[in-house]
Amino acid sequence: MSDRMTPRERVMAAAAGREVDCCPAICPTSVANLECMKSTGVSFSRSHTDGQMMADLAAAAYTQLGFDTVMPYFSVCLEASALGCQVYWGNKGIMPVITKNLLCSKEEFQYPKNFLDRPECKQLLKAIRLLRQRFGTQVAIIGKVVGPWTLAYHLYGVGNLVLDTILEPEETKAFIQALLPVSLELAKAQFEAGADLLTWADHVTADIISAEVYREFMLPVHKTAAARLQSYGPVILHTCGNVMDRLDLMAQSGFRIFHIDSRNSIRRAAEIAQGRILLAGAVNNPGTLSHGSRPQIYREVLENVQDGITFVAPECALPPQVRNVSLIELTKAAHRCQPCSRKNLSQD
Amino acid sequence: MLLKEYPLEELAKGYSGLFGAGFQVFDQNREPLFTVMGEGQEETWPSENRTLYQEGRVVGFFQTAAPSQEKLEQASGAFAIGAGAMLDCKRQKPNLSPNEDWAPALMEALLDGQKGKEEILALARQAELDESRLRATVCVELDFEINRYFNINLNLGYVSLRENLRTELLEKLRRNQYLNAQDFFAYYGDNHLVLSKSFFPETDSARIYLALDKICQSIQADLMAFPLMDAHIAYGNLYAGLEQVGQSYAEATEILSLGKIQHPEVHFYTIHNILIDNICHFLHPQIISKILLPTLAKLNREGGKDLESLLRCGEVFVDCCMDCTAAAARLYMHRNTLRTKLSKLEELTGLNFTQDFSNSLILKLLAVYARQNHIFSASSQTGGEPDV
C-alpha cells in the first residue's frame, strides 16, 4: 500500500479484516492521564459528566498521544449514575467509583423510558457529536457502554449478584435480561451520534465467575447484543483479567473484537480465537506502562503483535499517573509494526 | 530482575515524607542498596527489620526507623505492602492458570501453620489472590474403595486407579460452575481434598452459607461420577482473608468427624443436620459433670444390660416431639411396650422428659453424649434419620 491510511481508515480496515498500512493503536478504555488533563485544562472529576470536557480530554488521545482513536467515556459509572446510583467522581488521580448501590432486590429494577434523556447520557452523546465535528473522518471514534453484567453488579452489588447466580439463577438471568436494553439503547444512540466502534465493557472475568456461569448467564445476552448492533458498527468486548477458560465462548458471541488483558497468553488467545474474534490490547498497565522503560514498551508491543494482537492498546483503563512519553512510545511502536500474518483471520 | 532495578527508593521517599520515617534497604546478600533518612532521624528511634519477598523467595531486607512505635508500625507495614506490590506487578507477565503449581504449596502453608504471615502473603500475591475476600474452607474426605479378593493382596490395578481418580477429581472440581479464579484447592494429606472458597466482602453471610450448601451439593454431585470413591463433605466458618483458612478447615474436619458418628451414611454434613451433635460437642463442662455424667452413672448402676436400647427409645421419643405413636412406629414396637420402657427410663434417670422440655433436652443430650464418647458398645451407633 503506497499511501498512508488515515487513522480512521486504518482502524476500520483492521476491524473489517482488510489490509492495513501498520498496526492501529486504539483506546477502547480510558487513556486519560494527568498530563493530558493538565494540558487540556480539564478537571478529571468533571470530565465524566460534561460533554465539552469529555470531548476535549478524549481528543488528546489523538492530538497528543498519537492513538488512531478517541474515546470520551473514562469511567464505568455513567449508566449506573443515570439510573440513580451514588457515584464518587474521583479526582485527578482517582477513577470514579460507585459509593451506593441502587437496588436492594433485583425485582425493584424498571427500565426508565426517558433513559437517554438523563444528563449522563446526553453529555456522552454530546461529546461524541463534538468529536465527530472536530475530527470529521480523520480519527475513529469509539463509544462505550457498560454491559448488563457489570451494570447489574453496579446496581445491586457484586457480592449479591454472584450469590444470586447460585441461589436464584432464573431470577438473575431475568434481571440481566431486563438490563440489556439500557446498554443496547445507549450503544445505538452513540453510533447514531457518530461513533465508529463501540466498547462493550462487561467484567465477566475468571476472578468473579466461572466459564460455565458465563456460558449459562451471559453468552446468550452477548449474542443478542452482538446481533442487534451488527448493522451499526464493530463492537469491542472488554473484560479485564484472566479469561482464557472462556475465550472460546466469547469468540462465539458475535462481537468483532475482544479487548484482552496482559494476564492472558496472547499467543494462546489467538489460537483459541482463530479469527472468529480479533484481539485488541494487551500492553500491561501496572508494570510496563506505569514503570517500564521505552524499550520495554516497544518490546511488549512488538511481542503482542507477533503473537496475534490486531489492535495495539493498553490492556485496560489507564492509571492516570502513566506518563505521555510511555503512551507515545506505545502508539509509535504500533505504527512501526507491520500487522501479523492474517492467514488465520476471517474476512468480512 | 535485581532489586535495584525497582523504584524502591522513590517508594521509600514517599513513605518517609508521609510518616517521617527512615528506611534502609539491603539486597538478598545483606549488602546495602540505599538509605532514606527520616525527618530529624536520631539513633534512639525504635527500629524494625523485615524481609522482602518475590514469588515466595527472599529477595532483600529493609530496616525502618521512626520517631514512635506507632509510626514505625505504620511506616514499616506500608513499605512492606507497597514494595510487595511493586515486586509482584513488575515481574514478567504472570500468565497464571487458576489453581496450578502454587495451590498445593499455599494450601499446605495455610493448613500446617508452619510459615509466617509474610511468606503466606507472598505466596498469595504470587497467585494474585484477593486478600480482602471472605473465605470458607470446604473439606472433602475421600475414601477409596479397594476391592480385596479373598485373603490375598493381588495387584489388580486399584492403586494406580486411585491416583488417576485423584487427578480426575481435581479436573472435575476445576470445571465446577460455582468456582472462580479466586478459589483454590489441593489435596492435603492422604485423603482430604481442601477447597478455599472465596466470597465478596460486605455480603449477607446468611446467604453465603446457603450458597455454600449449594456449592457443596454440586461437588457431591460431581463425586457421583466416581463410584469407587466414597466421600464426606463439610465446610467451616466464613472468615475475612486468608489467615483463617486453617481455622475454617479445622472446623470443617470437626463437623465431618461429628457427622460421621451420628450419620455415617450421609455425604454432606452441615451445622443444620448435626445441630444437636455440635451443641453436645461443645457442652459447658458443668453440664457434663453435674448433669450428664451422674445421670449416666445412675443408669449404669441400675439399668441392667438393656441400657442402650432404653436410651435409644427415649431419644427417638424426643426426636418425634414426644409423640408416642410416631416413636413406636419408628422403633418398630408396640406403643404400650414403648410406654413401659419410657416409664422405666424416667424412673432410672429421674428425668421427667415426657412432661418437661428441659428434661427432654437433657435426655437428648445424654443420648448424643453417650454416642460421641462411646459410653456404650459400638455395636449400634447410628441414630435416627438425618435431617437432610
Side-chain angles (χ1 to χ4, degrees):
Chain A
M1 192 171 283
S2 54
D3 293 332
R4 197 90 177 140
M5 294 173 119
T6 67
R8 183 169 179 269
E9 285 170 346
R10 185 175 301 131
V11 173
M12 299 313 285
R18 293 197 304 269
E19 197 179 341
V20 286
D21 57 347
C22 63
C23 273
I26 68 168
C27 45
T29 48
S30 169
V31 290
N33 66 357
L34 296 176
E35 283 177 72
C36 288
M37 289 170 210
K38 193 175 175 186
S39 61
T40 55
V42 169
S43 146
F44 195 42
S45 57
R46 292 181 60 201
S47 71
H48 307 291
T49 50
D50 179 310
Q52 184 65 56
M53 289 192 181
M54 291 164 109
D56 289 347
L57 188 54
Y62 170 66
T63 58
Q64 296 183 36
L65 306 174
F67 282 96
D68 295 307
T69 58
V70 290
M71 199 284 291
Y73 182 165
F74 309 116
S75 74
V76 286
C77 303
L78 284 185
E79 293 92 334
S81 173
L83 291 170
C85 287
Q86 275 181 19
V87 176
Y88 166 64
W89 291 107
N91 62 32
K92 60 183 182 178
I94 298 176
M95 296 296 270
V97 286
I98 287 163
T99 52
K100 193 174 177 191
N101 305 126
L102 180 69
L103 306 175
C104 293
S105 80
K106 301 184 291 297
E107 291 71 26
E108 289 171 25
F109 176 74
Q110 282 192 319
Y111 178 59
K113 285 181 182 159
N114 61 347
F115 175 65
L116 291 179
D117 293 330
R118 306 256 163 128
E120 293 87 347
C121 302
K122 286 175 88 168
Q123 293 301 315
L124 174 61
L125 298 173
K126 177 184 170 185
I128 289 174
R129 280 191 285 268
L130 287 170
L131 287 165
R132 178 54 70 218
Q133 275 174 21
R134 180 169 173 183
F135 293 116
T137 56
Q138 177 69 14
V139 182
I141 298 170
I142 303 182
K144 182 171 139 187
V145 295
V146 161
W149 171 261
T150 297
L151 189 55
Y153 71 63
H154 281 168
L155 297 180
Y156 183 51
V158 64
N160 286 332
L161 185 68
V162 173
L163 276 189
D164 278 1
T165 62
I166 302 171
L167 297 172
E168 298 174 357
E170 294 312 315
E171 293 86 343
T172 307
K173 285 176 199 168
F175 178 48
I176 291 166
Q177 201 67 45
L179 290 169
L180 181 58
V182 174
S183 310
L184 274 178
E185 292 312 304
L186 188 58
K188 287 177 190 172
Q190 287 180 72
F191 276 120
E192 284 160 2
D196 297 299
L197 307 93
L198 181 110
T199 300
W200 184 280
D202 235 352
H203 300 92
V204 284
T205 178
D207 277 351
I208 302 179
I209 51 169
S210 67
E212 182 56 24
V213 169
Y214 175 73
R215 189 193 61 75
E216 189 182 336
F217 287 76
M218 290 309 300
L219 182 57
V221 177
H222 282 174
K223 280 183 172 173
T224 304
R228 298 254 178 97
L229 295 174
Q230 194 172 25
S231 59
Y232 289 83
V235 179
I236 307 164
L237 174 63
H238 165 80
T239 300
C240 316
N242 192 330
V243 294
M244 208 50 99
D245 62 352
R246 65 209 63 195
L247 191 59
D248 180 57
L249 296 170
M250 288 168 158
Q252 298 169 31
S253 64
F255 288 128
R256 184 67 185 140
I257 302 164
F258 179 63
H259 185 209
I260 192 167
D261 193 301
S262 68
R263 280 178 185 79
N264 304 279
S265 157
I266 303 303
R267 184 168 297 181
R268 179 83 191 106
E271 285 167 7
I272 293 169
Q274 290 185 326
R276 292 173 296 168
I277 196 164
L278 302 171
L279 298 178
V283 183
N284 178 271
N285 281 349
T288 311
L289 288 176
S290 298
H291 297 105
S293 63
R294 287 171 60 193
Q296 282 174 320
I297 295 168
Y298 178 77
R299 193 170 64 231
E300 190 162 322
V301 168
L302 194 65
E303 283 171 2
N304 277 337
V305 173
Q306 284 170 345
D307 286 347
I309 285 284
T310 301
F311 303 87
V312 173
E315 61 185 349
C316 190
L318 209 65
Q321 292 79 3
V322 171
R323 294 182 307 154
N324 277 2
V325 66
S326 299
L327 295 167
I328 291 168
E329 185 60 33
L330 178 146
T331 56
K332 277 186 177 169
H335 292 154
R336 281 199 294 264
C337 285
Q338 290 301 311
C340 65
S341 164
R342 299 200 166 273
K343 64 183 177 190
N344 291 329
L345 303 183
S346 63
Q347 302 287 314
D348 267 3
Chain B
M1 218 164 164
L2 297 170
L3 205 57
K4 65 183 176 189
E5 291 177 38
Y6 295 88
L8 287 171
E9 191 167 353
E10 296 301 312
L11 188 75
K13 282 176 183 166
Y15 287 128
S16 178
L18 203 60
F19 299 107
F23 296 93
Q24 192 169 17
V25 175
F26 306 87
D27 67 14
Q28 58 192 9
N29 302 318
R30 298 194 181 269
E31 292 293 325
L33 287 177
F34 64 83
T35 303
V36 174
M37 296 297 286
E39 200 180 323
Q41 185 167 348
E42 295 171 10
E43 284 182 11
T44 54
W45 280 4
S47 63
E48 186 181 70
N49 289 305
R50 293 179 77 164
T51 310
L52 291 169
Y53 296 94
Q54 187 179 42
E55 298 179 1
R57 291 181 297 110
V58 174
V59 290
F61 305 89
F62 71 94
Q63 188 172 37
T64 315
S68 68
Q69 189 64 33
E70 188 188 0
K71 293 270 183 204
L72 176 74
E73 284 168 14
Q74 288 173 346
S76 176
F79 187 77
I81 291 168
M86 189 178 278
L87 293 171
D88 280 345
C89 82
K90 284 272 289 182
R91 68 175 187 268
Q92 286 300 303
K93 286 185 191 179
N95 191 22
L96 281 169
S97 301
N99 212 68
E100 293 205 335
D101 300 342
W102 54 269
L106 178 59
M107 190 64 85
E108 199 175 318
L110 289 165
L111 302 188
D112 278 354
Q114 302 287 323
K115 291 200 171 165
K117 184 180 168 185
E118 290 196 3
E119 276 182 272
I120 288 173
L121 280 181
L123 282 168
R125 285 190 191 131
Q126 183 194 348
E128 300 192 330
L129 292 179
D130 180 353
E131 292 158 36
S132 72
R133 291 211 188 178
L134 304 174
R135 288 185 176 274
T137 307
V138 177
C139 179
V140 183
E141 190 170 286
L142 300 167
D143 185 13
F144 293 91
E145 307 276 347
I146 294 181
N147 276 5
R148 297 208 180 280
Y149 286 79
F150 313 110
N151 293 328
I152 50 173
N153 284 334
L154 292 178
N155 178 7
L156 298 171
Y158 283 96
V159 175
S160 59
L161 178 69
R162 171 189 160 136
E163 290 312 304
N164 290 344
L165 289 179
R166 280 166 69 97
T167 311
E168 275 180 43
L169 183 55
L170 283 182
E171 264 314 303
K172 193 97 179 163
L173 203 54
R174 192 167 287 136
R175 289 196 300 269
N176 185 290
Q177 65 171 325
Y178 298 128
L179 304 190
N180 61 55
Q182 288 294 322
D183 308 326
F184 61 97
F185 46 86
Y187 285 106
Y188 182 66
D190 198 37
N191 67 336
H192 278 189
L193 177 54
V194 184
L195 161 69
S196 174
K197 177 75 192 107
S198 68
F199 296 92
F200 284 94
E202 295 166 24
T203 313
D204 178 358
S205 56
R207 296 184 72 230
I208 291 180
Y209 285 121
L210 289 175
L212 272 165
D213 288 348
K214 208 161 170 189
I215 291 163
C216 288
Q217 283 159 7
S218 82
I219 293 172
Q220 189 186 341
D222 286 346
L223 287 161
M224 299 295 277
F226 300 89
L228 279 181
M229 209 157 47
D230 194 22
H232 295 92
I233 308 171
Y235 60 82
N237 289 333
L238 194 65
Y239 293 100
L242 280 157
E243 283 176 61
Q244 303 295 324
V245 166
Q247 173 65 26
S248 187
Y249 168 73
E251 290 157 359
T253 53
E254 194 161 56
I255 289 170
L256 276 175
S257 60
L258 289 175
K260 280 162 61 183
I261 294 170
Q262 175 76 2
H263 309 297
E265 74 286 5
V266 170
H267 292 284
F268 169 40
Y269 300 112
T270 66
I271 280 293
H272 181 245
N273 61 26
I274 59 155
L275 185 63
I276 302 283
D277 308 71
N278 200 54
I279 290 169
C280 204
H281 185 66
F282 293 104
L283 274 183
H284 194 289
Q286 266 198 54
I287 298 174
I288 297 169
S289 306
K290 207 170 166 185
I291 301 172
L292 299 188
L293 291 178
T295 312
L296 280 169
K298 208 185 299 180
L299 266 175
N300 260 329
R301 260 198 323 270
E302 301 167 21
K305 57 184 176 182
D306 202 19
L307 262 185
E308 193 183 356
S309 147
L310 209 55
L311 200 53
R312 168 116 181 92
C313 289
E315 185 184 9
V316 172
F317 175 69
V318 174
D319 285 345
C320 294
C321 300
M322 277 66 88
D323 180 339
C324 201
T325 308
R330 197 145 138 190
L331 289 161
Y332 302 106
M333 62 174 64
H334 195 276
R335 270 182 307 168
N336 290 342
T337 314
L338 178 61
R339 281 205 183 97
T340 308
K341 284 178 179 278
L342 295 177
S343 297
K344 188 178 177 189
L345 191 60
E346 278 193 319
E347 189 186 319
L348 288 172
T349 57
L351 295 170
N352 181 17
F353 57 84
T354 55
Q355 302 293 323
D356 181 272
F357 173 74
S358 61
N359 281 341
S360 60
L361 178 61
I362 290 170
L363 183 71
K364 175 71 187 174
L365 292 175
L366 198 66
V368 176
Y369 181 84
R371 196 159 44 242
Q372 282 182 355
N373 293 281
H374 310 288
I375 303 282
F376 303 118
S377 68
S379 58
S380 54
Q381 296 271 308
T382 56
E385 289 298 308
D387 184 15
V388 286

